[in-house]
Amino acid sequence: MRSELIGFGTLVQAGKDNPDIYRTATLSALEAGYRTLDTALRYENEVQVGQAIAQSDVPREDIKVTTKIPGRFQGYHEAKTSIIRSLIDLDQAYVDAALIHWPLPHQHKYVDTWRAMIEMRDAGLIRTIGVSNFLPEHLQRLADETGEMPAINQVEMHPYFGQAQLRAFHEEHGIQTQAWSPLGRTTDMIKDPVLAKVAEKHSVTPVEVVLAWHVHHGSVPVPASSNPERQRANLHFTVELDDQDIAEIDGLERGRIYQDPATHEEF
């Protein structure tokens, strides 16, 4: 199903000025067919996301809710507090997935955070545990010290930064790649001549081409939009790229646009 290949990012830009837009955008995303909702304690929108879930006609068991533990709540006891706060804000008995938002390697707390998440999963508060923005060395340390790899790693990924090496590590260890900012800086992407050429070839938009590229590579993109028409277009694209298309898009590699998890500190 298409809803298993594309998630909905609830941190829509318009919500920063009007928080209720987080609710209306999430509700319209559910109506459009999205079933994976991506939020985080740091987004300060979990109350509104929970309201949308409650108001939606979609059964709760059909919705997958992901939250994230921010840097200020890293550590064994702090992580448990973070999840409880998210559950209260979302008004949910459990979340389907919880991720460590950033590794913050200089803080040396992400392994203790991971141990707490394993316990919370075993207690039924979390269905699936994973991470966000982790590099292979961070992932390997979790496995070495706890015996368990994350099920998910949500990372920056788009045609300008394809994460080929990290995706290969994920595939080797059974980790699902998810992509935040899957369209990069969207204005740049829709103007890219290679993407425009591929889009024209298939009579689709550059955005549809980028999302199809993600799906081809086994990544679950999590685009965010408060526009119902754009939400539907992002979810229901039909283009299938051929080998030449993929090779040309892979050739756009430029490197990371956003923060480097090896050094970034976000609380």
Side-chain angles (χ1 to χ4, degrees), residues 48-66:
Q48 291 83 7
V49 171
Q51 290 170 345
I53 293 170
Q55 293 169 13
S56 172
D57 293 331
V58 180
R60 172 63 181 91
E61 59 269 22
D62 292 342
I63 302 172
K64 295 182 179 179
V65 182
T66 297

Side-chain angles (χ1 to χ4, degrees), residues 3-258:
S3 60
E4 296 175 351
L5 303 177
I6 309 288
F8 176 68
T10 63
L11 189 61
V12 295
Q13 193 68 27
K16 295 179 179 180
D17 297 322
N18 179 5
D20 191 56
I21 291 177
Y22 294 129
R23 179 189 62 82
T24 58
T26 302
L27 190 59
S28 67
L30 289 169
E31 291 171 351
Y34 290 88
R35 294 296 178 263
T36 297
L37 306 178
D38 182 81
T39 184
L41 186 62
R42 191 175 181 276
Y43 297 167
E44 298 182 348
N45 69 355
E46 292 186 318
V47 169
Q48 291 83 7
V49 171
Q51 290 170 345
I53 293 170
Q55 293 169 13
S56 172
D57 293 331
V58 180
R60 172 63 181 91
E61 59 269 22
D62 292 342
I63 302 172
K64 295 182 179 179
V65 182
T66 297
T67 190
K68 306 181 193 75
I69 297 172
R72 68 184 184 275
F73 281 104
Q74 280 217 34
Y76 179 83
H77 296 292
E78 294 89 341
K80 292 190 173 185
T81 299
S82 178
I83 294 300
I84 295 301
R85 282 189 55 171
S86 288
L87 292 174
I88 291 172
D89 287 348
L90 289 162
D91 194 22
Q92 300 294 317
Y94 67 93
V95 287
D96 298 272
L99 315 178
I100 303 175
H101 210 150
W102 288 87
L104 278 65
H106 302 307
Q107 302 297 318
H108 304 290
K109 292 182 178 181
Y110 66 83
V111 175
D112 287 338
T113 303
W114 188 241
R115 290 193 174 100
M117 293 171 71
I118 291 172
E119 290 186 9
M120 287 185 285
R121 179 202 58 200
D122 294 346
L125 299 179
I126 306 168
R127 296 288 173 85
T128 301
I129 54 175
V131 296
S132 182
N133 302 300
F134 273 48
L135 301 174
E137 56 264 35
H138 306 140
L139 297 167
Q140 191 62 56
R141 184 180 174 193
L142 291 180
D144 290 345
E145 297 195 27
T146 71
E148 185 163 347
M149 276 283 185
I152 299 166
N153 190 14
Q154 186 182 117
V155 296
E156 176 187 351
M157 179 181 166
H158 43 73
Y160 292 166
F161 188 51
Q163 292 277 22
Q165 292 183 336
L166 182 60
R167 285 190 286 108
F169 185 93
H170 288 174
E171 185 174 357
E172 179 183 354
H173 296 281
I175 300 170
Q176 172 67 64
T177 303
Q178 292 185 356
W180 60 263
S181 192
L183 305 175
R185 293 193 172 100
T186 308
T187 302
D188 295 338
M189 290 288 170
I190 62 177
K191 293 181 179 180
D192 187 282
V194 171
L195 295 174
K197 183 184 73 170
V198 175
E200 184 178 4
K201 170 183 171 181
H202 293 281
S203 301
V204 296
T205 66
V207 168
E208 290 175 276
V209 166
V210 173
L211 294 174
W213 172 84
H214 277 283
V215 171
H216 171 86
H217 281 309
S219 161
V220 176
V222 186
S225 175
S226 59
N227 183 305
E229 291 185 8
R230 192 169 298 122
Q231 289 175 353
R232 288 191 292 271
N234 287 346
L235 182 63
H236 296 296
F237 68 90
T238 58
V239 60
E240 292 188 14
L241 304 177
D242 59 35
D243 291 344
Q244 180 181 349
D245 299 330
I246 296 297
E248 291 182 357
I249 298 169
D250 286 346
L252 294 174
E253 183 72 26
R254 300 179 184 179
R256 192 184 302 279
I257 294 177
Y258 301 103

